[in-house]
Amino acid sequence: MVTRRAYITHMGSYLPNRILTNADLEKIVDTSDEWIVSRTGMRERRIAHEGEFTSDMGYQAAKKCLENAQIDPNEVDLIIVATITPDYLFPSTACMIQELLGASRAAAFDIQAACSGFLYALGTAKSFIESGIYNKILVIGSEKLSSIVDYEDRSTCVLFGDGAAACLVQEGGSGLRIDAFELGADGHQNHLLILPGGGCRKPTSLETLKNRDHFLKMDGRGIFKHAVRRMEQSMVETIEKANLTCEEIDWLVPHQANIRIIDSLTKRCGIDDSKVIKTVEKYGNTSASSIGIGLDEMIEKNLIKEGDNLLLLAFGAGLTWGSMVLKMVGAK
Ligand code: COA
């Protein structure tokens, strides 16, 4: 039996050109550049324009990805979109992007695993490819977090930004081979980061509007504590699954929630700081898009060399987490 292997062969990303700086935030809420930089490492984030939605940003990233691959949208078998800020509760944002791309052959669905969404989607794509069901899958992370952030709540509004990333996952070829992954969840802690309103439990009403339940609520300290512990456990498990050791990891591509979380994982992984991808300063936390944006920047800068092992790490609401090992095979 021939073993099928899933590869990320091409990527694309999109960031709105509207920038929200710490100085801008100082004018909106009681905060300071010093507080934001020292607690989070963030200096700016991108904000989608009026009339620019999650599907539009995801489409832009996917279009670039397919152009890089020189693939007609009709060759795509499946579109998976990871997002917590879909255009609508339904239909899925994946269906909207399918229409924008003209990828009429593709099946399409959304995955909701918050900031771990990109890894949940990539793991799903790998499974579809290696089981022989599909050959070409577009995985997209796209978020318009500015639509669910409360710009009157200083403890959350400084943290989030908008943006999108897409990758083409194919059977065989060359690129980043998906060698191993691990996904996890802890529903007991669902209250730590939540969008309370708008679902069937709290449908939109005057009451939910008054309580600002249409904006995300977060227990930052609670999240922080779980994030480091869960990602560390996940990292160990996945490196082992890939038959590697920590020393053999060449690049760490973590979710970009907070520079202190990233630094703590860097230490625990024992990897040199120069081998850790950090975009948090420029883009803040873009949830399901952050890892894809980091990966696309690495590819653009031609940082990844033949045989390099990459460790992707994510954590988010749910709680959810995940890790994945990729190996560069057949680099040009
Ligand atoms: N500007 C100034 N002060 C602020 C502030 C802001 N933007 N936000 C909160 N503060 C204040 C608080 O009110 C608190 O004041 P107090 O001591 O007088 O009560 C103080 O700063 C400390 O708040 P705390 O929440 O303990 O800060 P922290 O060091 O835990 O940092 C986070 C807050 C949110 C940056 C941090 O907890 C974090 O990053 N958590 C993880 C978040 C995350 O990863 N979320 C996404 C999951 S993917």
Side-chain angles (χ1 to χ4, degrees):
M1 202 182 89
V2 182
T3 308
R4 290 169 61 92
R5 297 303 304 268
Y7 287 72
I8 298 174
T9 59
H10 299 86
M11 292 214 54
S13 63
Y14 172 82
L15 288 145
N17 58 13
R18 199 167 141 204
I19 296 175
L20 182 69
T21 64
N22 290 352
D24 296 328
L25 285 163
E26 283 175 353
K27 293 179 200 139
I28 304 173
V29 286
D30 178 15
T31 190
S32 65
D33 177 58
E34 193 278 326
W35 191 96
I36 301 172
V37 174
S38 64
R39 300 292 178 118
T40 71
M42 296 170 190
R43 292 182 192 276
E44 353 179 296
R45 57 295 287 146
R46 301 300 178 94
I47 303 294
H49 294 271
E50 292 288 319
E52 184 175 48
F53 305 109
T54 297
S55 59
D56 302 310
M57 292 187 282
Y59 162 66
Q60 292 297 339
K63 189 161 144 288
K64 278 188 209 159
C65 175
L66 292 183
E67 281 166 7
N68 287 339
Q70 298 185 315
I71 276 184
D72 187 278
N74 270 314
E75 291 180 50
V76 176
D77 299 312
L78 173 67
I79 299 170
I80 309 176
V81 174
T83 186
I84 49 167
T85 49
D87 288 30
Y88 303 108
L89 270 178
F90 71 90
S92 70
T93 302
C95 281
M96 305 197 64
I97 295 177
Q98 187 237 32
E99 197 236 335
L100 290 168
L101 284 172
S104 50
R105 268 192 59 251
F109 64 85
D110 288 0
I111 275 186
Q112 204 274 61
C115 302
S116 311
F118 203 73
L119 294 195
Y120 268 69
L122 274 178
T124 305
K126 172 180 164 72
S127 310
F128 270 124
I129 298 254
E130 295 186 355
S131 57
I133 294 171
Y134 293 124
N135 290 317
K136 288 182 171 42
I137 301 179
L138 256 180
V139 168
I140 302 167
S142 186
E143 299 283 16
K144 186 174 176 174
L145 290 160
S146 58
S147 68
I148 56 164
V149 161
D150 186 349
Y151 287 98
E152 290 186 11
D153 174 7
R154 69 175 181 172
S155 69
T156 53
C157 74
V158 302
L159 302 174
F160 298 97
D162 302 335
C167 60
L168 183 65
V169 185
Q170 301 197 66
E171 200 282 308
S174 62
L176 293 164
R177 192 178 67 207
I178 305 176
D179 276 355
F181 71 92
E182 192 268 338
L183 304 171
D186 177 7
H188 291 297
Q189 309 296 336
N190 66 66
H191 56 280
L192 292 179
L193 180 49
I194 189 165
L195 182 70
C200 72
R201 200 176 276 246
K202 278 195 184 183
T204 307
S205 65
L206 286 177
E207 181 76 8
T208 63
L209 286 174
K210 197 168 84 216
N211 293 338
R212 305 180 79 74
D213 284 338
H214 51 297
F215 293 125
L216 68 83
K217 317 273 182 219
M218 183 177 74
D219 170 350
R221 271 189 213 176
I223 288 280
F224 197 110
K225 202 176 65 194
H226 289 281
V228 176
R229 188 166 60 89
R230 292 301 194 179
M231 280 192 279
E232 190 186 353
Q233 283 168 349
S234 182
M235 163 172 94
V236 170
E237 204 172 304
T238 302
I239 291 174
E240 204 176 296
K241 268 191 199 169
N243 286 320
L244 295 173
T245 60
C246 265
E247 294 71 43
E248 290 172 288
I249 297 298
D250 299 289
W251 297 99
L252 180 62
V253 190
H255 169 54
Q256 307 285 314
N258 185 314
I259 198 69
R260 291 184 290 145
I261 296 178
I262 297 173
D263 288 345
S264 168
L265 290 165
T266 303
K267 266 199 212 107
R268 286 165 202 236
C269 180
I271 193 165
D272 191 85
D273 195 54
S274 64
K275 297 291 189 171
V276 182
I277 301 307
K278 298 175 193 174
T279 62
V280 66
E281 183 175 338
K282 296 182 289 185
Y283 309 135
N285 181 347
T286 55
S287 191
S289 313
S290 70
I291 288 179
I293 290 169
L295 266 183
D296 190 43
E297 285 204 358
M298 292 178 79
I299 290 169
E300 285 284 305
K301 291 180 187 160
N302 208 14
L303 293 179
I304 314 169
K305 305 294 174 222
E306 177 69 17
D308 277 1
N309 293 308
L310 282 68
L311 175 65
L312 318 185
L313 270 180
F315 181 86
L319 301 175
T320 56
W321 57 88
S323 55
M324 181 171 273
V325 168
L326 309 176
K327 185 188 256 326
M328 177 56 98
V329 179
K332 287 176 199 98

